[in-house]
Structure formats: C-alpha cells, structure tokens
Amino acid sequence: MSARSIGLSDELWRYLLDVTVHEPPVLRRLRDETAKLAEANMQISPEQGRFLAFMTELLGVQRYLEVGVFTGYSSLSVALALPADGHIVACDRSDEWTGVARRYWAEAGVASKIELKLGNGVDTLGALLASGARGSFDFAFFDADKESSLTYYERGLELVRQGGVLAFDNALWDGRVAKASDTSESTRSLRALNERVCSDPRVTATLVPIGDGVLLARKR
Ligand code: CA
C-alpha cells in the first residue's frame, strides 16, 4: 500500500524520481488522475514502474501476465517497454478502475497489445491453464487480493516458462510482515508467501525493497 518506496525520505524520493526515473508524460498524467481516487495508494510507485520496464527489457519479454491492474500504471509501464509484437494478459475485477486503464492504454497507442480479462484472478489463471497457456509467459506481476498469494504463486509458476520471473507487490506490507502482533489474514498470507518463495527449490528468489517491497522468483 504505497505509492512510493518504503523508508525513503521525501528528499531522496524526489531525487530518485528527478534523476533516475524519467517518467513518460502519459504515465505522469495517469498517476495524477489516480491520485484523486480514494484508493490512490493501490498504485505502484514511479520507480517501480521503471523497475518493471527494466525487467521487461532484461528478460526479453514477449508475453506478460498481470493480476491486479487497478488504473493501469504497471501494465502501461510494461507495455511501453514491450516489443511491437509483445502481448499482455491483464486481469482485474473492476470494470471501473480498468476503464481508466483502457483510456490510457489507448492514449499511449498500446491498447492492441493488451488483453483485459475481468473477473476473479484465481479463476482467470485457472482458465488460462485450462486453455493451454502453461509455460507461455516470460514475466508475471501480482498485485491483487493478498489472501490468495500462495494460489497466485502456484498458478503463476505453472504459467511462466523456465527462466521466467514472478513478481509480487507489497511483500513488505508497509512493515506489517515484521510486526508479530499483526495477525490479519492478508499479513499472514504475505508472510507465508515470502517464506515459501524464499525457501522453494523450484525458484531463485529475492525481495527487493522498492515501493512496498517486490518479491521476485525466477523459475528454475
Ligand atoms: Ca500494490
């Protein structure tokens, strides 16, 4: 739940944005519009958008899967970094929030790369597997209901290719994962995800403390 990296001073965060992020104007406009929503802190931070774009180039991503689109900042960040024939499957429950995303995808000229699937994320991933999409994605980003994290992880592992990467947002959960007194379902679920992924021999994992923490798992 953070539109900026956890633990950074205002001064350092501003430096990061001004000197290193170079946020495209269309992403800046989307961020400004989203900032007016009550749920604005569900948006990833600009430095995370840059990070996702970097990973997209690093992995040579052709197919990107996202669960939890919200108003589209992460999907648009990746879409702008994809090759012309790249493809995104973007999953979300909200027609209203993804309506904002669709407007910006169109404005940025990337709408044809993005296939939006509305509905429950776990069900959508199940349907993708049933339709033969196993092993077909290079990179997947999960930023949806935290209670389903372990299910997203297992289905995500089936959907990415060998050498593909799964990324989970909010791995630090505004510091709550380290507070033993916090026993909410979402906190317990994120703790379980961090522990499971970082000790799973099927992947190589690392938790990058950018934004609210991004847990990365590369499928071996
Ligand atoms: Ca998030």
Side-chain angles (χ1 to χ4, degrees):
M1 304 282 260
S2 174
R4 56 182 288 182
S5 283
I6 200 166
L8 281 181
S9 67
D10 288 348
E11 190 179 49
L12 262 182
W13 187 63
R14 179 51 55 197
Y15 176 84
L16 203 63
L17 258 57
D18 289 348
V19 176
T20 73
V21 172
H22 300 292
E23 186 178 34
V26 66
L27 282 173
R28 178 60 199 260
R29 283 196 296 280
L30 169 55
R31 190 155 62 89
D32 288 344
E33 179 171 342
T34 303
K36 295 172 188 148
L37 300 176
E39 300 86 357
N41 68 354
M42 283 173 52
Q43 182 166 65
I44 63 162
S45 62
E47 63 273 26
Q48 278 182 288
R50 182 76 179 176
F51 178 74
L52 291 175
F54 179 88
M55 290 293 295
T56 298
E57 286 194 25
L58 181 69
L59 290 165
V61 172
Q62 290 281 340
R63 281 173 57 81
Y64 169 73
L65 171 66
E66 181 171 288
V67 183
V69 171
F70 188 41
T71 57
Y73 196 95
S74 44
S75 51
L76 182 51
S77 297
V78 170
L80 292 170
L82 276 181
D85 60 347
H87 187 71
I88 291 177
V89 175
C91 314
D92 202 283
R93 276 195 250 234
S94 170
D95 191 36
E96 183 188 343
W97 288 338
T98 54
V100 178
R102 285 195 303 269
R103 262 196 288 122
Y104 282 88
W105 295 339
E107 183 186 329
V110 297
S112 63
K113 293 181 185 175
I114 305 175
E115 179 186 353
L116 177 65
K117 291 185 180 291
L118 285 177
N120 172 281
V122 169
D123 293 344
T124 302
L125 297 193
L128 280 169
L129 284 166
S131 73
R134 189 178 305 268
S136 71
F137 290 93
D138 305 293
F139 187 29
F141 181 57
F142 300 88
D143 191 8
D145 53 308
K146 306 309 173 190
E147 295 78 5
S148 302
S149 294
L150 283 171
T151 307
Y152 288 135
Y153 175 56
E154 289 301 329
R155 295 203 170 165
L157 257 189
E158 291 187 74
L159 285 162
V160 297
R161 63 167 168 86
Q162 186 180 12
V165 170
L166 307 176
F168 296 85
D169 194 33
N170 302 106
L172 295 176
W173 206 220
D174 204 22
R176 279 175 277 168
V177 289
K179 288 196 172 72
S181 59
D182 189 328
T183 57
S184 69
E185 191 182 355
S186 48
T187 303
R188 283 187 286 119
S189 180
L190 285 165
R191 272 189 206 122
L193 178 74
N194 288 339
E195 290 164 18
R196 173 80 176 122
V197 172
C198 292
S199 60
D200 189 342
R202 296 174 296 175
V203 300
T204 305
T206 184
L207 199 164
V208 182
I210 185 174
D212 191 26
V214 177
L215 176 65
L216 296 172
R218 179 184 180 271
K219 184 175 174 179
R220 286 180 176 160

